[in-house]
Amino acid sequence: MTFARVTLGRAANPPARPPLTVLSNRTSVRLSSLALLALDAALILLAWVSSFWLRFNLDVPDEFSSMAVESALLAVGSYCVVLVGMGVHRQVWRYIGLSELRQLAIAVLLASLLTAAAVLMLRVPSFPRSVLLLHPLIVLMLLVTARAAWRTLFERAVLPTGTRPILIVGALQDAADALRALKGSGHWHPVGIVSHLESEQGRSLQGVPVLGTTTNIDSIARSVDVRTALLASPAGSEGRSEVLKYSSDAGLALLAMPRPDEWLRTESVGPRRIELEDLLGRVQVQLDAKGLSDLFAGTCVLVTGAGGSIGSELCRQIARFGVVRLVCVDVSEFAIYQLEQELREAHPQMQGMYYTANVREVERLHAIARLHQPTVVFHAAAYKHVPLMESLNEIEAVHTNVLGTMNAARVAAAIGAARFVLISTDKAVNPTNVMGASKRLAERVMQAVASEHPGTRFVAVRFGNVLGSSGSVVPLFTEQISRGGPLTVTHPDIVRYFMTIPEAAQLVLQAGLMGQSGQIFVLDMGEPVKIVELARILVRLSGKTEQEVPIVFTGLRPGEKLYEELLANGETTEPTPHPKLHVAKTDAFGGVNPEAVSQSIADLGVEPSASALRSWLQTQVPEYTAR
């Protein structure tokens, strides 16, 4: 029996012990902290002696010399107790900054008060009170000087021969953060700052001078022999768009600091190549995080078209807000597979359901929704490529964009979803092509279904082109640049609104949280961008010139407009609590009969003539003008 107890005792898992390397590291850190504390103590002692020395004009009488020696232990002990108590000895001197210096100053103040209290309590006879005032000032000066000297020596010591010179572009307020990051990286050597503010010319920051303005960046780069510039200004600032314009002739490689989400990735530890989003992006979208968390946390959400550019970003954003189950539906097997792999790795705690299904098959869609009972449905499934839908595929645009929306909306109402959000487009406004007209009809159908089912809140969100989305000009231009050009632009005056994929998805989520049923939200897309300027930007970002990669104009394609609109003729907008979201004032609940629309589409047949389909669309969408 005793033997059994001994055996069981040996079989029990002993407490885990830290590896020897961890113990060694901890010991090294403790020894380093003790050494720095000892150095501080020596400087405090030196300051104590120096304060007596200064008090008596460099000639300390014998009786006060002995007093200084006898009371030194009291002063040094008081300071060491406070420094240790406040954790000053744990500071890393080579990365010392303002926060550490503030901590040090507070510690010195408290220690001086403790020392003064001890001296007064002990009633040291004839103690010179001015020493108690001089000592903390000298201590602070010596301790700060030691730390500053240590950091200076470290920065010079870690500057390897392989460091590369770089210009910082931005106002001093923005350049300060970039300089701290660069000096700690050990890979870059800032040689100057280029600011767009005239008032900052001739000044310097952390020893780095302001060499000139953005308009002179070409000549500045040549004068200091620099081939790289770091954009420190935030997205949407005045200086960013000018930099590319004036830096192209200098052949500067442009870098940017990692975005906030990129700081979480181990590989994003320093400047990165600048991307198109950095130049065309605007101030980051402000989300009602609490409202979205309340909407999504612990619920089930269904997304159609989940494998597409907007749909997949919606899934990423929704997963951040703690949904219990995310149901992803897409007709593309490969797209839904890619999304599954990404979300399983990024959100292992979330239950993801991945379906290959077509929104045109209402029974399949209803079966999926009935099984999972989603609280919110985002309908992103659509055909959106204007030229493809303009010829040979017109009926497909109608079936997917109109009937698919009708199916998704009715399914959401049938299973009692709280909200339904339709992803629409600016091409639905005064449409001149089949795709835009089908999306406008989809909006009207959604509003009609909303009038039939008051228990579900139905809204639509219109926005323009999304940077980097499938079928957009950016991937096309990138591919053409990789082949050596030329870049094909339809017209020199064609303009479009642009928005980044995350920004568009976040505003869709925000719109889904707001408003009344049947409303159509319009996003603030900022200023429109000329497509030819976009092409030139991409050429310059690739490190090439327009001579190497020419731009050619091919003429407007069928159904294409020179400019897009976010509001139809006669439409106005109403403000919302969110500055980037507005409500379009349209006809109440669309004015169409979903059953009649469905029947008339069926009457068109499988392969209607292009003219017949366009004529039918004009009866459903009076503002549609075929081109």
Side-chain angles (χ1 to χ4, degrees), residues 220-506:
I220 292 171
R222 296 179 190 279
S223 65
V224 294
D225 194 24
V226 171
R227 295 290 177 267
T228 309
L230 172 66
L231 290 184
S233 304
S237 61
E238 179 183 349
R240 280 214 169 187
S241 59
E242 293 183 353
V243 173
L244 193 66
K245 177 180 178 182
Y246 294 109
S247 63
S248 58
D249 293 337
L252 282 173
L254 298 179
L255 303 180
M257 295 304 295
R259 290 183 286 267
D261 60 311
E262 292 176 325
W263 284 109
L264 302 177
R265 306 173 192 169
T266 55
E267 66 268 20
S268 299
V269 295
R272 56 173 173 78
R273 289 283 299 185
I274 195 167
E275 299 169 358
L276 185 62
E277 290 88 339
D278 298 309
L279 294 170
L280 298 181
R282 297 179 294 281
V283 179
Q284 187 176 6
V285 175
Q286 298 299 316
L287 293 177
D288 179 5
K290 183 181 184 304
L292 290 172
S293 294
D294 293 342
L295 175 63
F296 294 125
T299 65
C300 174
V301 176
L302 186 148
V303 180
T304 70
S309 306
I310 297 299
S312 60
E313 184 62 27
L314 279 173
C315 292
R316 296 183 195 101
Q317 299 288 344
I318 292 167
R320 291 173 45 216
F321 290 101
V323 291
V324 170
R325 183 181 302 155
L326 180 60
V327 182
C328 306
V329 178
D330 198 282
V331 71
S332 168
E333 176 191 26
F334 181 64
I336 207 71
Y337 166 75
Q338 285 186 309
L339 182 66
E340 176 192 25
Q341 296 302 305
E342 177 185 346
L343 293 183
R344 285 195 191 282
E345 180 178 356
H347 302 280
Q349 78 289 348
M350 183 188 72
Q351 185 180 8
M353 313 301 292
Y354 305 92
Y355 289 92
T356 56
N358 195 326
V359 293
R360 287 153 60 162
E361 299 171 356
V362 65
E363 293 84 3
R364 168 73 166 156
L365 196 60
H366 190 268
I368 294 171
R370 187 173 61 247
L371 178 62
H372 299 290
Q373 296 293 310
T375 303
V376 184
V377 176
F378 288 93
H379 180 53
Y383 282 134
K384 62 180 184 178
H385 198 276
V386 171
L388 271 180
M389 297 301 109
E390 196 62 19
S391 61
L392 306 180
N393 300 297
E394 299 96 327
I395 192 63
E396 296 299 313
V398 170
H399 282 165
T400 295
N401 295 353
V402 180
L403 291 181
T405 298
M406 185 184 303
N407 292 340
R410 284 182 162 175
V411 165
I415 56 97
R419 286 176 171 83
F420 175 89
V421 182
L422 166 66
I423 311 302
S424 190
T425 171
D426 57 358
K427 294 175 179 59
V429 180
N430 296 325
T432 59
N433 50 68
V434 171
M435 192 282 284
S438 68
K439 292 296 286 184
R440 175 60 185 136
L441 183 53
E443 291 179 351
R444 301 184 70 189
V445 166
M446 180 275 296
Q447 290 177 314
V449 175
S451 66
E452 298 173 352
H453 301 279
T456 299
R457 183 182 299 179
F458 293 82
V459 298
V461 186
R462 286 179 189 162
F463 53 84
N465 298 272
V466 179
L467 287 173
S469 62
S470 61
S472 70
V473 295
V474 175
L476 173 63
F477 286 165
T478 303
E479 182 183 352
Q480 290 176 339
I481 291 172
S482 67
R483 297 199 307 258
L487 268 64
T488 55
V489 178
T490 57
H491 194 282
D493 296 326
I494 192 168
V495 295
R496 290 291 182 266
Y497 291 97
F498 281 99
M499 181 174 282
T500 65
I501 293 177
E503 187 178 17
Q506 289 167 7

Side-chain angles (χ1 to χ4, degrees), residues 167-178:
L167 284 174
I168 310 297
V169 183
L172 291 179
Q173 181 179 358
D174 303 317
D177 295 331

Side-chain angles (χ1 to χ4, degrees), residues 195-203 210 212-216:
S195 173
H196 64 280
L197 300 176
E198 291 285 349
S199 60
E200 295 180 350
Q201 306 311 305
R203 303 177 68 182
V210 179
T213 61
T214 308
T215 55
N216 299 321

Side-chain angles (χ1 to χ4, degrees), residues 176 185 190 194 449 466 532 562:
S185 69
V194 179
V449 175
V466 179
V532 66
L562 276 179

